[in-house]
CSV table of all heavy atoms in Angstrom, one decimal:
chain,number,residue,atom,x,y,z
A,225,ASP,N,65.1,128.1,101.8
A,225,ASP,CA,66.5,127.9,101.2
A,225,ASP,C,67.5,127.5,102.3
A,225,ASP,O,68.7,127.5,102.1
A,225,ASP,CB,67.0,129.2,100.6
A,225,ASP,CG,67.0,130.3,101.6
A,225,ASP,OD1,66.6,130.2,102.7
A,225,ASP,OD2,67.6,131.4,101.2
A,226,ALA,N,67.0,127.1,103.5
A,226,ALA,CA,67.9,126.7,104.6
A,226,ALA,C,68.7,125.5,104.2
A,226,ALA,O,69.9,125.5,104.5
A,226,ALA,CB,67.1,126.4,105.9
A,227,ASP,N,68.1,124.5,103.6
A,227,ASP,CA,68.9,123.3,103.3
A,227,ASP,C,69.9,123.5,102.2
A,227,ASP,O,70.8,122.7,102.1
A,227,ASP,CB,67.9,122.1,102.8
A,227,ASP,CG,67.2,121.5,104.0
A,227,ASP,OD1,67.7,121.8,105.1
A,227,ASP,OD2,66.3,120.7,103.7
A,228,GLY,N,69.8,124.6,101.4
A,228,GLY,CA,70.7,124.8,100.4
A,228,GLY,C,71.8,125.8,100.8
A,228,GLY,O,72.7,126.2,100.1
A,229,ALA,N,71.8,126.2,102.1
A,229,ALA,CA,72.8,127.2,102.6
A,229,ALA,C,74.1,126.5,102.7
A,229,ALA,O,74.3,125.4,103.0
A,229,ALA,CB,72.3,127.7,104.0
A,230,PRO,N,75.2,127.3,102.3
A,230,PRO,CA,76.5,126.7,102.4
A,230,PRO,C,77.0,126.6,103.8
A,230,PRO,O,76.5,127.3,104.7
A,230,PRO,CB,77.4,127.8,101.6
A,230,PRO,CG,76.6,129.0,101.8
A,230,PRO,CD,75.1,128.6,101.8
A,231,MET,N,77.9,125.7,104.0
A,231,MET,CA,78.5,125.5,105.4
A,231,MET,C,79.4,126.7,105.7
A,231,MET,O,80.0,127.3,104.8
A,231,MET,CB,79.3,124.2,105.4
A,231,MET,CG,78.5,123.0,105.1
A,231,MET,SD,79.5,121.5,105.1
A,231,MET,CE,80.8,122.0,103.9
A,232,VAL,N,79.6,126.9,107.0
A,232,VAL,CA,80.6,127.8,107.4
A,232,VAL,C,81.5,127.1,108.5
A,232,VAL,O,81.2,126.1,109.0
A,232,VAL,CB,80.0,129.1,108.0
A,232,VAL,CG1,79.2,129.9,106.9
A,232,VAL,CG2,79.1,128.8,109.2
A,233,TRP,N,82.6,127.8,108.8
A,233,TRP,CA,83.6,127.2,109.7
A,233,TRP,C,84.0,128.2,110.7
A,233,TRP,O,84.0,129.4,110.5
A,233,TRP,CB,84.8,126.7,108.9
A,233,TRP,CG,84.5,125.9,107.7
A,233,TRP,CD1,84.1,126.4,106.5
A,233,TRP,CD2,84.4,124.5,107.6
A,233,TRP,NE1,83.8,125.3,105.6
A,233,TRP,CE2,84.0,124.2,106.3
A,233,TRP,CE3,84.6,123.5,108.5
A,233,TRP,CZ2,83.8,122.9,105.9
A,233,TRP,CZ3,84.5,122.2,108.1
A,233,TRP,CH2,84.1,121.9,106.8
A,234,VAL,N,84.5,127.7,111.9
A,234,VAL,CA,85.1,128.6,112.9
A,234,VAL,C,86.6,128.4,112.7
A,234,VAL,O,87.2,127.4,113.2
A,234,VAL,CB,84.7,128.3,114.3
A,234,VAL,CG1,85.4,129.1,115.3
A,234,VAL,CG2,83.1,128.5,114.4
A,235,GLN,N,87.3,129.4,112.1
A,235,GLN,CA,88.8,129.2,111.9
A,235,GLN,C,89.5,129.7,113.2
A,235,GLN,O,89.3,130.8,113.7
A,235,GLN,CB,89.3,130.1,110.8
A,235,GLN,CG,90.8,129.9,110.5
A,235,GLN,CD,91.2,130.5,109.2
A,235,GLN,OE1,90.5,130.4,108.2
A,235,GLN,NE2,92.3,131.2,109.2
A,236,ILE,N,90.4,128.8,113.7
A,236,ILE,CA,91.0,129.1,115.1
A,236,ILE,C,92.5,129.2,115.0
A,236,ILE,O,93.1,129.7,116.0
A,236,ILE,CB,90.5,128.0,116.1
A,236,ILE,CG1,91.1,126.6,115.7
A,236,ILE,CG2,89.0,128.0,116.3
A,236,ILE,CD1,90.8,125.6,116.8
A,237,GLU,N,93.1,128.7,113.9
A,237,GLU,CA,94.6,128.7,113.9
A,237,GLU,C,95.1,128.6,112.5
A,237,GLU,O,94.5,127.9,111.7
A,237,GLU,CB,95.1,127.6,114.8
A,237,GLU,CG,96.6,127.5,115.0
A,237,GLU,CD,97.1,126.5,116.1
A,237,GLU,OE1,96.2,126.0,116.8
A,237,GLU,OE2,98.3,126.3,116.1
A,238,ALA,N,96.2,129.2,112.2
A,238,ALA,CA,96.9,129.1,110.9
A,238,ALA,C,98.4,128.8,111.2
A,238,ALA,O,99.0,129.3,112.1
A,238,ALA,CB,96.7,130.4,110.1
A,239,GLN,N,99.0,128.0,110.3
A,239,GLN,CA,100.4,127.6,110.5
A,239,GLN,C,101.1,127.6,109.1
A,239,GLN,O,100.4,127.3,108.1
A,239,GLN,CB,100.5,126.2,111.1
A,239,GLN,CG,100.0,126.1,112.5
A,239,GLN,CD,100.9,126.8,113.5
A,239,GLN,OE1,102.0,127.2,113.2
A,239,GLN,NE2,100.4,127.0,114.7
A,240,PRO,N,102.4,127.9,109.1
A,240,PRO,CA,103.1,128.1,107.8
A,240,PRO,C,103.6,126.9,107.1
A,240,PRO,O,104.2,127.0,106.1
A,240,PRO,CB,104.2,129.1,108.2
A,240,PRO,CG,104.5,128.7,109.6
A,240,PRO,CD,103.2,128.3,110.2
A,241,ASN,N,103.5,125.7,107.7
A,241,ASN,CA,104.0,124.5,107.1
A,241,ASN,C,103.3,123.3,107.6
A,241,ASN,O,102.5,123.3,108.6
A,241,ASN,CB,105.5,124.4,107.3
A,241,ASN,CG,105.9,124.4,108.8
A,241,ASN,OD1,105.5,123.5,109.6
A,241,ASN,ND2,106.7,125.4,109.2
A,242,LEU,N,103.6,122.1,107.0
A,242,LEU,CA,102.9,120.9,107.3
A,242,LEU,C,103.2,120.4,108.7
A,242,LEU,O,102.4,119.8,109.4
A,242,LEU,CB,103.2,119.8,106.3
A,242,LEU,CG,102.4,119.9,105.0
A,242,LEU,CD1,103.0,119.0,103.9
A,242,LEU,CD2,101.0,119.6,105.2
A,243,ALA,N,104.5,120.5,109.1
A,243,ALA,CA,104.9,120.0,110.4
A,243,ALA,C,104.1,120.7,111.5
A,243,ALA,O,103.6,120.1,112.5
A,243,ALA,CB,106.4,120.1,110.6
A,244,ALA,N,104.0,122.0,111.4
A,244,ALA,CA,103.3,122.8,112.4
A,244,ALA,C,101.8,122.6,112.4
A,244,ALA,O,101.2,122.5,113.4
A,244,ALA,CB,103.6,124.3,112.1
A,245,ILE,N,101.2,122.4,111.2
A,245,ILE,CA,99.8,122.2,111.2
A,245,ILE,C,99.4,120.8,111.7
A,245,ILE,O,98.4,120.6,112.3
A,245,ILE,CB,99.2,122.4,109.7
A,245,ILE,CG1,97.7,122.6,109.8
A,245,ILE,CG2,99.5,121.3,108.8
A,245,ILE,CD1,97.3,123.9,110.6
A,246,ASN,N,100.3,119.8,111.4
A,246,ASN,CA,100.0,118.5,112.0
A,246,ASN,C,100.0,118.5,113.5
A,246,ASN,O,99.2,117.9,114.1
A,246,ASN,CB,101.1,117.5,111.4
A,246,ASN,CG,100.8,117.1,110.0
A,246,ASN,OD1,99.7,117.1,109.6
A,246,ASN,ND2,101.8,116.7,109.3
A,247,GLU,N,101.0,119.2,114.1
A,247,GLU,CA,101.0,119.3,115.5
A,247,GLU,C,99.8,120.1,116.0
A,247,GLU,O,99.2,119.7,117.1
A,247,GLU,CB,102.3,120.0,115.9
A,247,GLU,CG,102.6,120.0,117.4
A,247,GLU,CD,101.8,121.0,118.2
A,247,GLU,OE1,101.5,122.1,117.7
A,247,GLU,OE2,101.5,120.8,119.4
A,248,ALA,N,99.4,121.1,115.3
A,248,ALA,CA,98.2,121.9,115.8
A,248,ALA,C,97.0,121.1,115.7
A,248,ALA,O,96.1,121.1,116.6
A,248,ALA,CB,98.1,123.1,114.9
A,249,LEU,N,96.8,120.3,114.6
A,249,LEU,CA,95.6,119.4,114.5
A,249,LEU,C,95.5,118.4,115.6
A,249,LEU,O,94.5,118.1,116.2
A,249,LEU,CB,95.6,118.7,113.1
A,249,LEU,CG,95.3,119.7,111.9
A,249,LEU,CD1,95.7,119.0,110.6
A,249,LEU,CD2,93.8,120.0,111.9
A,250,ARG,N,96.7,117.8,115.9
A,250,ARG,CA,96.7,116.8,117.0
A,250,ARG,C,96.4,117.4,118.3
A,250,ARG,O,95.6,116.9,119.1
A,250,ARG,CB,98.1,116.2,117.0
A,250,ARG,CG,98.2,115.1,118.1
A,250,ARG,CD,99.5,114.3,117.8
A,250,ARG,NE,99.8,113.3,118.9
A,250,ARG,CZ,100.6,113.4,119.8
A,250,ARG,NH1,101.4,114.5,119.9
A,250,ARG,NH2,100.8,112.5,120.8
A,251,ARG,N,96.9,118.6,118.6
A,251,ARG,CA,96.7,119.3,119.8
A,251,ARG,C,95.2,119.7,120.0
A,251,ARG,O,94.6,119.6,121.0
A,251,ARG,CB,97.6,120.5,119.9
A,251,ARG,CG,97.4,121.5,121.0
A,251,ARG,CD,98.5,122.4,121.2
A,251,ARG,NE,99.1,122.9,120.0
A,251,ARG,CZ,98.6,123.9,119.2
A,251,ARG,NH1,97.5,124.5,119.7
A,251,ARG,NH2,99.1,124.3,118.1
A,252,ARG,N,94.7,120.3,118.9
A,252,ARG,CA,93.3,120.8,119.0
A,252,ARG,C,92.3,119.7,119.0
A,252,ARG,O,91.3,119.8,119.7
A,252,ARG,CB,93.0,121.6,117.7
A,252,ARG,CG,93.8,122.9,117.6
A,252,ARG,CD,93.5,123.9,118.7
A,252,ARG,NE,94.2,125.2,118.5
A,252,ARG,CZ,94.1,126.2,119.4
A,252,ARG,NH1,93.5,126.1,120.5
A,252,ARG,NH2,94.8,127.3,119.1
A,253,SER,N,92.6,118.5,118.4
A,253,SER,CA,91.7,117.4,118.4
A,253,SER,C,91.5,116.8,119.7
A,253,SER,O,90.5,116.2,120.1
A,253,SER,CB,92.1,116.3,117.4
A,253,SER,OG,92.1,116.8,116.1
A,254,ALA,N,92.6,117.0,120.6
A,254,ALA,CA,92.5,116.4,121.9
A,254,ALA,C,91.5,117.1,122.8
A,254,ALA,O,91.1,116.6,123.8
A,254,ALA,CB,93.9,116.4,122.6
A,255,ASN,N,91.2,118.4,122.4
A,255,ASN,CA,90.3,119.2,123.3
A,255,ASN,C,89.1,119.8,122.7
A,255,ASN,O,88.3,120.4,123.4
A,255,ASN,CB,91.2,120.4,123.8
A,255,ASN,CG,92.4,119.9,124.6
A,255,ASN,OD1,92.3,119.3,125.6
A,255,ASN,ND2,93.6,120.2,124.1
A,256,LEU,N,88.9,119.6,121.4
A,256,LEU,CA,87.8,120.2,120.7
A,256,LEU,C,87.1,119.2,119.8
A,256,LEU,O,87.8,118.2,119.3
A,256,LEU,CB,88.2,121.4,119.9
A,256,LEU,CG,88.7,122.6,120.6
A,256,LEU,CD1,89.4,123.6,119.7
A,256,LEU,CD2,87.6,123.3,121.4
A,257,GLN,N,85.9,119.4,119.5
A,257,GLN,CA,85.1,118.6,118.5
A,257,GLN,C,85.2,119.2,117.1
A,257,GLN,O,85.5,120.4,117.0
A,257,GLN,CB,83.6,118.5,118.9
A,257,GLN,CG,83.4,117.9,120.3
A,257,GLN,CD,83.7,116.4,120.3
A,257,GLN,OE1,83.4,115.7,119.4
A,257,GLN,NE2,84.3,115.9,121.4
A,258,ASP,N,84.9,118.4,116.1
A,258,ASP,CA,84.7,118.9,114.7
A,258,ASP,C,85.9,119.6,114.2
A,258,ASP,O,85.8,120.6,113.5
A,258,ASP,CB,83.5,120.0,114.7
A,258,ASP,CG,82.2,119.4,115.3
A,258,ASP,OD1,82.0,118.2,115.2
A,258,ASP,OD2,81.4,120.2,115.9
A,259,VAL,N,87.1,119.1,114.5
A,259,VAL,CA,88.3,119.7,114.0
A,259,VAL,C,88.7,119.2,112.6
A,259,VAL,O,88.6,118.1,112.2
A,259,VAL,CB,89.5,119.3,114.9
A,259,VAL,CG1,90.8,119.8,114.4
A,259,VAL,CG2,89.2,119.8,116.3
A,260,ASN,N,89.0,120.2,111.7
A,260,ASN,CA,89.4,120.0,110.3
A,260,ASN,C,90.6,120.7,110.0
A,260,ASN,O,90.9,121.8,110.6
A,260,ASN,CB,88.2,120.4,109.4
A,260,ASN,CG,86.9,119.7,109.6
A,260,ASN,OD1,86.7,118.7,109.0
A,260,ASN,ND2,86.1,120.2,110.5
A,261,GLY,N,91.4,120.2,109.0
A,261,GLY,CA,92.5,120.9,108.5
A,261,GLY,C,92.4,121.3,107.0
A,261,GLY,O,91.9,120.4,106.2
A,262,PHE,N,92.8,122.5,106.6
A,262,PHE,CA,92.6,122.9,105.2
A,262,PHE,C,93.9,123.6,104.7
A,262,PHE,O,94.6,124.2,105.5
A,262,PHE,CB,91.5,123.9,105.1
A,262,PHE,CG,90.1,123.4,105.4
A,262,PHE,CD1,89.5,123.7,106.6
A,262,PHE,CD2,89.5,122.5,104.5
A,262,PHE,CE1,88.3,123.2,107.0
A,262,PHE,CE2,88.2,122.0,104.8
A,262,PHE,CZ,87.6,122.3,106.0
A,263,ASP,N,94.2,123.3,103.4
A,263,ASP,CA,95.2,124.1,102.7
A,263,ASP,C,94.5,125.4,102.4
A,263,ASP,O,93.5,125.5,101.8
A,263,ASP,CB,95.5,123.4,101.4
A,263,ASP,CG,96.6,124.1,100.6
A,263,ASP,OD1,96.9,125.2,100.9
A,263,ASP,OD2,97.1,123.5,99.6
A,264,LEU,N,95.2,126.5,102.9
A,264,LEU,CA,94.5,127.8,102.8
A,264,LEU,C,94.4,128.3,101.3
A,264,LEU,O,93.3,128.5,100.9
A,264,LEU,CB,95.3,128.9,103.6
A,264,LEU,CG,94.7,130.3,103.7
A,264,LEU,CD1,93.3,130.2,104.3
A,264,LEU,CD2,95.6,131.2,104.5
A,265,ASP,N,95.5,128.4,100.6
A,265,ASP,CA,95.4,128.9,99.2
A,265,ASP,C,96.5,128.4,98.3
A,265,ASP,O,96.8,129.0,97.3
A,265,ASP,CB,95.4,130.4,99.2
A,265,ASP,CG,96.6,131.0,100.0
A,265,ASP,OD1,97.5,130.2,100.3
A,265,ASP,OD2,96.6,132.2,100.2
Side-chain angles (χ1 to χ4, degrees):
D225 61 351
D227 281 348
M231 301 178 302
V232 297
W233 311 83
V234 176
Q235 182 169 317
I236 63 174
E237 186 169 349
Q239 294 292 346
N241 56 61
L242 283 170
I245 199 63
N246 283 332
E247 189 280 330
L249 286 165
R250 182 167 176 256
R251 170 168 40 83
R252 295 295 187 183
S253 296
N255 300 298
L256 295 168
Q257 302 287 321
D258 307 329
V259 175
N260 299 268
F262 296 104
D263 181 350
L264 186 58
D265 55 9

